[in-house]
């Protein structure tokens, strides 16, 4: 089975500054679960932007769903983006749309039938505890509610790859567990997940997950516990290389 | 695709909603006046040309009254016999002096002052008379007769009318270019205002054409609204000027009234402005989106 994501010697710099990502190489297989960790400024969000095709790398090769996205034409990118769900750290909900319309957005963009989209969106909003806030505008929702709405929007299309930046940062532990359950269900259906987080307890709740750690723009693996879940192929961390 | 089923993903372009239709209306008003003016001028000059080409004037310029009268009678006789000439009328001395009064003043003309005999000649529209040949024949019977077929004046009039029509065309082009410029500027402002939303739509897989359609729809509406307002104002202006021209009862201004082609052009103009506005917005959006990843 081909990789969902493959990075080879990827480097990223903004303008003429120093590289924020250096020689990043890894690959993610279908249906695998990954956490991305690292100190603030280590390059997590930059790596995620490459994963959800918001920018192209300064150097190296990136293959998403078997397509070389570095040399790919702009016109071919939307089809790949429709297969990727994204939870942004700052949610990036559309302020002029209701919660329901925000959730329906990915399926509407994909041209799904309106009736099916609405029913699916309502069920999903109920699942994340926003059944009574469907017509509310994002500005009237709390931080936690906005985060759940952003997650619902990211997963509604049942994407092949889900990229989430601190998806449980603003919710209580109970809701965090519920959202993690949603991610695991999605993972069981075949979605490859990459979740950037500082939350150690969240990582500990998914023992089979691969942990990718960024340090000053370089990527290392930290642990691979459960052999039945295929791990990401990454460079070993410096600590693991030590005798 | 985005936008199917009449669903809109971008909020209304508030930055364009207020001012843009007014600017388009002003530009359309100027373009409509220029289009109507150019077409009416074309009709009027055609009418003047037809009228004047069927009318010649013969002047018998002779100081001696007896010879002048004799040559005038001979000229009238000759002209009447020419095939294709429908009427020949020599103005009386009093009528000729009356024509000069506006320039020389009433009662200031001495009766001794020789005034040429003016002969008004009407030519049939189908006649193919050569003014040069008629001149030669006139020379034989009335050496002091001068035939004016208005050709020089018509050529000058034609050149002036051509220049005015060119100016009208330039005004139309400049107005439409200015409209495109304003629409382009407004579209770019709209793109800037909606940048965050457009980025999200892009990341969810929306295509440029889908985002472009959102702008096209808005700007088509702005263009139609402004175009209709501008043409309505122009129609009112033209109707008012036409009414004033008719009240003058002038033969010269009689042809300067809007014909069917003018009204047809004015009916089409709002649609043309709307399509131009939409196309400009679409082009601007696609060029700007090309800078996105």
């Amino acid at each position: 089975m081909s990789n969902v994501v493959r990075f080879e010697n990827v480097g990223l710099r903004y303008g003429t500054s120093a590289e924020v990502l250096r020689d990043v190489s890894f690959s993610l297989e279908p249906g695998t679960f990954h956490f991305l960790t690292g100190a603030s400024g280590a390059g997590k969000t930059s790596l995620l932007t490459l994963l959800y095709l918001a920018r192209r790398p300064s150097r190296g090769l990136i293959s998403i769903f078997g397509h070389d996205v570095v040399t790919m034409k702009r016109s071919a990118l939307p089809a790949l983006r429709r297969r990727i769900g994204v939870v942004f750290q700052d949610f990036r909900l559309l302020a002029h749309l209701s919660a329901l319309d925000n959730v329906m957005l990915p399926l509407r963009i994909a041209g799904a039938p309106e009736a099916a989209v609405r029913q699916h969106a309502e069920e999903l909003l109920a699942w994340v505890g926003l059944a009574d806030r469907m017509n509310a505008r994002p500005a009237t929702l709390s931080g936690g509610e906005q985060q759940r709405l952003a997650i619902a929007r990211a997963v509604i299309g049942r994407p092949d790859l889900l990229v989430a930046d601190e998806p449980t940062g603003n919710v209580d532990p109970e809701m965090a567990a519920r959202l993690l359950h949603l991610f695991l269900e999605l993972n069981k259906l075949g979605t490859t997940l990459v979740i950037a987080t500082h939350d150690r307890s969240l990582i500990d709740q998914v023992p089979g997950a691969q942990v990718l750690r960024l340090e000053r723009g370089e990527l290392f693996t930290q642990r691979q516990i459960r052999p039945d879940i295929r791990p990401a192929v990454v460079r070993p961390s410096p600590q693991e290389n030590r005798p | 695709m985005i936008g199917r089923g009449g669903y809109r993903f971008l909020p209304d372009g508030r930055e364009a909603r207020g001012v843009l239709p007014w600017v388009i209306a002003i530009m359309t008003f100027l373009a409509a006046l220029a289009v109507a003016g150019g077409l009416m001028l074309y009709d009027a000059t055609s009418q003047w040309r037809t009228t004047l080409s069927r009318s010649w004037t013969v002047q018998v310029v002779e100081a001696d009254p007896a010879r002048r009268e004799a040559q005038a009678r001979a000229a009238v006789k000759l002209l009447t016999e020419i095939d294709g000439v429908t009427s020949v009328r020599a103005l009386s001395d009093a009528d000729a002096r009356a024509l000069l009064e506006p320039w020389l003043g009433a009662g200031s003309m001495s009766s001794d002052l020789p005034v040429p005999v003016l002969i008004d000649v009407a030519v049939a529209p189908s006649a193919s008379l050569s003014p040069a040949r008629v001149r030669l024949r006139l020379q034989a019977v009335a050496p002091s007769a001068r035939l004016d077929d208005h050709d020089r004046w018509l050529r000058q009039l034609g050149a002036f009318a051509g220049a005015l029509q060119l100016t009208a065309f330039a005004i139309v082009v400049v107005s439409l270019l200015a409209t495109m410029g304003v629409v382009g500027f407004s579209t770019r402002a709209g793109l800037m205002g909606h940048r965050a939303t457009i980025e999200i739509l892009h990341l969810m897989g929306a295509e440029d054409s889908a985002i472009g359609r959102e702008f096209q729809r808005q700007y088509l509406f702005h263009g139609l609204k402004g175009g209709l307002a501008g043409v309505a104002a122009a129609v009112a202006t033209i109707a008012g000027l036409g009414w004033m021209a008719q009240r003058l009862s002038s033969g010269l201004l009689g042809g300067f009234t809007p014909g069917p082609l003018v009204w047809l052009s004015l009916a089409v103009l709002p649609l043309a402005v709307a399509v131009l506005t939409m196309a400009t917005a679409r082009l601007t959006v696609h060029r700007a989106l090309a800078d996105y990843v």
Side-chain angles (χ1 to χ4, degrees):
Chain A
M1 197 179 288
S2 64
N3 297 313
V4 172
V5 174
R6 187 161 63 91
F7 277 46
E8 281 184 22
N9 300 313
V10 169
L12 177 68
R13 69 170 78 239
Y14 299 109
T16 55
S17 62
E19 283 191 326
V20 292
L21 293 175
R22 287 190 299 277
D23 294 323
V24 172
S25 298
F26 68 96
S27 60
L28 308 179
E29 294 185 9
T32 49
F33 201 122
H34 312 270
F35 285 107
L36 179 64
T37 64
S40 295
K44 295 193 297 297
T45 300
S46 294
L47 180 58
L48 294 184
T49 60
L50 293 175
L51 280 172
Y52 58 71
L53 304 175
R55 64 177 78 248
R56 301 199 203 221
S58 309
R59 63 182 174 87
L61 181 144
I62 297 179
S63 167
I64 307 277
F65 306 126
H67 298 277
D68 178 359
V69 297
V70 178
T71 56
M72 182 179 258
K73 281 185 178 176
R74 270 191 80 247
S75 58
L77 289 174
L80 292 189
R81 285 174 174 145
R82 284 181 216 137
R83 298 174 64 187
I84 303 171
V86 188
V87 182
F88 300 98
Q89 191 171 20
D90 53 355
F91 319 134
R92 299 176 78 173
L93 299 164
L94 301 193
H96 65 285
L97 298 181
S98 68
L100 185 64
D101 285 332
N102 264 287
V103 174
M104 290 197 285
L105 197 56
L107 293 183
R108 278 177 165 156
I109 288 173
E114 185 71 11
V117 170
R118 179 170 291 272
Q119 188 189 353
H120 193 27
E122 286 172 353
E123 286 171 5
L124 196 55
L125 278 172
W127 171 259
V128 296
L130 294 173
D132 56 343
R133 307 304 308 272
M134 285 188 195
N135 296 316
R137 295 290 172 101
T140 64
L141 300 175
S142 69
E145 287 173 328
Q146 289 186 35
Q147 191 151 34
R148 283 180 272 156
L149 184 58
I151 290 168
R153 186 181 67 179
V155 304
I156 191 168
R158 213 175 273 176
D160 294 321
L161 172 65
L162 181 76
V163 179
D165 200 354
E166 299 284 356
T168 57
N170 289 292
V171 294
D172 56 57
E174 190 183 337
M175 181 50 74
R178 194 173 170 84
L179 293 175
L180 184 62
H181 180 67
L182 182 67
F183 290 144
L184 288 168
E185 287 299 312
L186 205 62
N187 182 233
K188 279 182 192 167
L189 291 170
T191 298
T192 302
L193 283 99
V194 179
I195 295 175
T197 185
H198 289 107
D199 187 351
R200 293 298 309 179
S201 65
L202 188 72
I203 297 170
D204 291 339
Q205 289 176 62
V206 190
Q210 178 75 43
V211 178
L212 310 173
R213 188 164 50 83
L214 271 169
E215 283 181 19
R216 289 188 293 276
E218 289 189 69
L219 188 73
F220 305 97
T221 186
Q222 249 185 343
R223 62 176 179 171
Q224 302 163 5
I225 295 175
R226 235 173 66 184
D228 58 319
I229 293 181
R230 292 178 186 176
V233 179
V234 296
R235 293 170 55 194
S237 69
Q239 289 87 346
E240 286 170 350
N241 279 343
R242 283 179 198 141
Chain B
M1 279 293 101
I2 196 169
R4 273 184 190 165
Y7 189 84
R8 299 185 60 180
F9 296 97
L10 290 175
D12 282 342
R14 286 185 187 151
E15 66 288 336
R17 198 190 293 161
V19 178
L20 186 66
W22 286 104
V23 176
I24 294 174
I26 291 167
M27 293 300 167
T28 309
F29 173 71
L30 294 175
L33 287 185
V35 166
L39 289 172
M40 283 158 66
L41 191 64
Y42 178 78
D43 287 345
T45 47
S46 299
Q47 196 175 320
W48 296 337
R49 197 182 297 273
T50 307
T51 306
L52 288 174
S53 64
R54 292 179 197 159
S55 170
W56 293 348
T57 304
V58 174
Q59 292 183 62
V60 182
V61 187
E62 172 58 57
D64 180 65
R67 277 209 297 274
R68 186 166 68 232
E69 287 303 317
Q71 287 191 27
R73 277 195 298 277
V76 168
K77 186 171 180 293
L78 172 73
L79 290 165
T80 310
E81 289 167 354
I82 293 175
D83 202 23
V85 171
T86 54
S87 83
V88 179
R89 188 174 69 91
L91 268 65
S92 66
D93 187 61
D95 285 346
R97 285 178 185 277
L99 284 175
L100 292 171
E101 263 188 15
W103 284 272
L104 301 178
S108 63
M109 285 175 67
S110 162
S111 57
D112 295 337
L113 184 71
V115 174
V117 175
L118 296 174
I119 303 168
D120 187 26
V121 182
V123 181
S126 55
S128 56
L129 288 173
S130 160
R133 283 188 183 175
V134 174
R135 264 190 208 103
L136 279 175
R137 291 177 68 183
L138 271 173
Q139 286 296 306
V141 297
S144 304
R146 294 172 193 170
L147 178 104
D148 181 7
D149 62 351
H150 309 301
D151 181 60
R152 189 169 155 231
W153 192 79
L154 279 173
R155 272 190 277 114
Q156 287 175 341
L157 178 71
F160 181 62
L164 284 178
Q165 284 172 317
L166 203 64
T167 306
F169 179 72
I171 290 170
V172 173
V173 171
V174 167
S175 302
L176 295 181
L177 284 176
T179 303
M180 289 173 71
V182 171
V183 169
F185 183 78
S186 170
T187 309
R188 274 192 290 277
L191 280 165
M192 291 290 283
H194 299 313
R195 189 176 180 88
T197 303
I198 291 168
E199 276 179 0
I200 291 292
L201 293 173
H202 260 146
L203 292 177
M204 289 183 179
E207 291 172 1
D208 290 354
S209 57
I211 294 166
R213 272 199 295 276
E214 293 273 312
F215 280 88
Q216 282 169 228
R217 196 167 14 211
Q218 282 186 20
Y219 281 86
L220 177 70
F221 178 67
H222 292 321
L224 199 58
K225 202 162 76 168
L228 284 171
V231 166
V235 165
T237 306
I238 292 163
L241 289 174
W243 178 73
M244 289 174 74
Q246 280 182 343
R247 285 190 70 195
L248 282 173
S249 303
S250 161
L252 197 65
L253 287 174
F256 209 71
T257 49
L261 190 61
V262 171
W263 297 124
L264 182 68
S265 303
L266 294 181
V268 169
L269 194 59
L271 297 174
V273 167
V275 170
L276 182 77
T277 304
M278 184 184 76
T280 305
R282 176 187 166 85
L283 187 71
T284 307
V285 169
H286 279 260
R287 288 180 67 173
L289 291 183
D291 293 335
Y292 285 64
V293 174

